[in-house]
DNA sequence: CAGTGGTCTAGACCACCAA
DNA sequence: TGGTGGTCTAGACCACTGC
């Protein structure tokens, strides 16, 4: 490519903030960043194929191997899916073999994912962010947010009661009807209708006792132990886009986790 | 290496069982398997360095890149740790920056891992495996197992009550004194004293109500909600080596999980 | 300075898929 | 058959560590 084989260009723009980081950034990381930008900008939609490794290598003037390593990392982070012989595709929460990507609750009796859950939307209203919600979603207290409350049932048994808080801006126009009507994961709806792709999440899990209202909605006795799952979901660039508080019945399901 | 550059040898022994799998196994996977065998056989102890990539490449008669890819996967599975400029080291539960590798319980007030937990061993006795324990540990009902019951306290507050079941064979001779005296993670003790390295684990999490005995041991009211964490830990080759049932207080701690 | 892991390239070939 | 991702090699050079 260039006169001397190993004089690759690190004159790109790796540092936005003016902190004089003498950071050394490998080429493939820079390429990864560029692909990430295209992903964010929506150059390729979820489910679509991105350009082939050879094309990207030509575009960025690097070798295929370097593009490959960049894509390897994106694939490891589940932002992209490789399919041998076909191409590399933008990851999506829809059409994914493993039904609900972020839901770790599984029935005790082996299986994997019983059919889709029945959704029962109890509330969907505009309101102002409390201090706590604002902090989680990196908003200001009082900023507009959407709150959704719903119950998910499996095989007719109400199993999950959850509240969702969504920032008002990207989710303007979300209605209870939409939430009730669509098929598949709610995160797939977010992708299609609002262009918001959830990429990773953090959960804080506790055991709590059901209060009277919660007990009634989930069909358990007041004081019954429930799993409290607080989830913060992020889009690209670690921007939080959803706060979710779920209460899970764990009498015939359990939360499954793998440790490495 | 050989006359024609791409005629690499797939005449190794990838299939033990006589099932005629026409599986195609990449060279680097075979190399990974060979390194894994040395790891299991104890050719290099936990914390020690394994041979350099160049040495391994020479030993197996493949290129450095192929060894590299094999080690990449081992590193991704936390079996091995790379340290630039120094070498590649066998992973260990001791001397690990992140204190307890498998414990996801963290204090609510940020921090990370408060000082080491105080251990209080309540029981440590030989007994015969129940049907359920036997099934989990892939033993026969009635086979000898060790059962340990203990309470872990953080800053003086009893927080975790757990029962451990260990197969009698590799853990012969384990005593309450050992468990009480040693420093650092219990899994580090297992590595040093019994040569058993836990490599991964699966957890099933539920919310339960404390019974009278559990409540007394943890200093909570009977019926208080507790997190029930059932963990099955595996050594190499997916061999289960420990069943653990923990009850976690989550009034000032929570179970932290990351989803990708 | 030598040794180790880490990056980058260029080119060959294989496995898989669809037309 | 041609295109795509996947594997393998050989060689050059860089970054980090410790003597």
């Amino acid at each position: 490519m260039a006169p001397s084989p190993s004089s690759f260009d690190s004159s790109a723009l790796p540092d936005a903030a003016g902190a004089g980081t003498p950071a050394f950034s490998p080429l493939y990381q820079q390429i990864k960043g560029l692909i990430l930008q295209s992903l964010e900008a929506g150059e390729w939609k979820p489910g679509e194929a991105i350009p082939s490794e050879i094309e990207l290598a030509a575009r960025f003037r690097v070798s295929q191997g370097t593009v490959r390593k960049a894509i390897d990392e994106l694939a490891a982070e589940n932002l992209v899916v490789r399919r041998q012989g076909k191409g590399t595709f933008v990851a999506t929460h829809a059409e994914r073999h493993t039904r609900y990507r972020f839901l770790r609750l599984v029935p005790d009796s082996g299986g994997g994912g019983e059919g889709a859950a029945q959704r029962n939307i109890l509330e969907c209203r505009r309101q102002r962010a409390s201090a706590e919600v604002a902090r989680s979603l990196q908003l200001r207290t009082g900023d507009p947010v959407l709150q959704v409350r719903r119950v998910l049932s499996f095989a007719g048994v109400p199993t999950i009661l959850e509240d969702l808080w969504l920032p008002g801006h990207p989710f303007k126009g979300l209605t209870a009807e939409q939430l009730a009507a669509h098929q598949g994961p709610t995160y797939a709806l977010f992708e299609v209708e609002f262009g918001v792709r959830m990429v990773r999440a953090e959960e804080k899990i506790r055991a709590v006792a059901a209060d009277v209202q919660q007990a009634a909605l989930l069909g358990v006795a007041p004081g019954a132990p429930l799993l409290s799952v607080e989830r913060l979901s992020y889009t690209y660039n670690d921007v939080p886009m959803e706060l979710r508080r779920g209460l899970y019945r764990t009498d015939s399901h359990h939360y499954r986790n793998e440790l490495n």
Side-chain angles (χ1 to χ4, degrees), chain A residues 1 8-9 12 27-39 43-44 50-64 66-68 70-71 74:
Chain A
M1 51 170 288
F8 58 86
D9 182 19
L27 228 202
Y28 75 88
Q29 290 279 7
Q30 302 175 34
I31 303 300
K32 180 185 169 188
L34 294 174
I35 298 176
L36 215 34
Q37 284 181 22
S38 294
L39 238 23
E43 184 172 335
W44 318 294
I50 72 174
S52 75
E53 295 177 353
I54 294 177
E55 280 181 85
L56 289 172
R59 178 195 297 194
F60 299 128
R61 320 291 297 266
V62 299
S63 79
Q64 189 194 353
T66 300
V67 170
R68 191 168 179 71
I71 294 180
L74 293 173

Side-chain angles (χ1 to χ4, degrees), chain A residues 102-105 201-208 226-232 244-248 250 254-259:
Chain A
F102 284 170
L103 180 60
R104 297 290 184 92
L105 195 70
E202 298 171 353
E203 291 190 332
K204 294 180 181 178
I205 304 171
R206 290 183 160 79
V208 300
L226 296 173
L227 210 59
S228 161
V229 179
E230 180 179 311
R231 181 193 300 165
L232 233 196
R244 194 181 278 213
R245 283 219 185 101
L247 291 174
Y248 297 1
T250 55
H254 61 269
Y255 184 105
R256 188 171 212 294
N257 199 21
E258 309 214 333
L259 309 178

Side-chain angles (χ1 to χ4, degrees), chain A residues 28-252:
Chain A
Y28 75 88
Q29 290 279 7
Q30 302 175 34
I31 303 300
K32 180 185 169 188
L34 294 174
I35 298 176
L36 215 34
Q37 284 181 22
S38 294
L39 238 23
E40 292 177 46
E43 184 172 335
W44 318 294
K45 302 293 173 201
E48 285 183 11
I50 72 174
S52 75
E53 295 177 353
I54 294 177
E55 280 181 85
L56 289 172
R59 178 195 297 194
F60 299 128
R61 320 291 297 266
V62 299
S63 79
Q64 189 194 353
T66 300
V67 170
R68 191 168 179 71
K69 184 143 192 189
I71 294 180
D72 276 346
E73 294 210 347
L74 293 173
E77 295 169 28
N78 286 312
L79 297 179
V80 114
V81 176
R82 293 174 171 285
R83 281 200 262 265
Q84 177 167 154
K86 297 176 72 175
T88 301
F89 299 79
V90 181
T92 170
H93 284 264
E95 67 149 353
R96 202 183 163 75
H97 297 106
T98 77
R99 294 196 166 282
Y100 298 96
R101 184 170 146 197
F102 284 170
L103 180 60
R104 297 290 184 92
L105 195 70
V106 299
D108 290 339
S109 51
E114 59 224 301
Q118 298 99 282
R119 278 181 285 264
N120 186 4
I121 312 295
L122 305 180
E123 267 185 39
C124 177
R125 63 179 192 207
R126 237 176 300 281
Q127 52 175 53
R128 310 225 151 257
S130 68
E132 199 190 351
V133 169
R135 190 175 44 73
S136 292
L137 294 178
Q138 292 178 13
L139 303 173
R140 290 196 174 85
T141 303
D143 278 356
V145 294
L146 280 164
Q147 187 193 343
V148 176
R149 166 166 286 207
R150 63 180 189 175
V151 173
L152 303 186
S153 300
F154 297 102
V157 180
T159 305
I160 298 180
L161 165 63
E162 58 187 3
D163 287 291
L164 286 62
W165 287 270
L166 301 162
H169 162 50
F171 288 100
K172 198 173 192 70
L174 178 64
T175 66
E177 290 67 42
Q178 266 179 309
L179 284 165
H182 81 99
Q183 296 288 342
T186 300
Y187 291 131
L189 174 72
F190 292 170
E191 288 177 359
V192 174
E193 298 296 328
F194 304 96
V196 175
R197 273 171 274 174
M198 302 302 186
V199 152
R200 67 178 193 89
E202 298 171 353
E203 291 190 332
K204 294 180 181 178
I205 304 171
R206 290 183 160 79
V208 300
D211 69 23
V212 177
Q213 185 192 18
Q214 294 159 353
L217 290 169
L218 286 173
V220 299
L226 296 173
L227 210 59
S228 161
V229 179
E230 180 179 311
R231 181 193 300 165
L232 233 196
S233 300
Y234 296 83
T235 356
Y236 299 113
N237 286 99
D238 291 327
V239 178
M241 275 306 230
E242 183 204 56
L243 174 63
R244 194 181 278 213
R245 283 219 185 101
L247 291 174
Y248 297 1
R249 279 181 61 174
T250 55
D251 36 351
S252 59

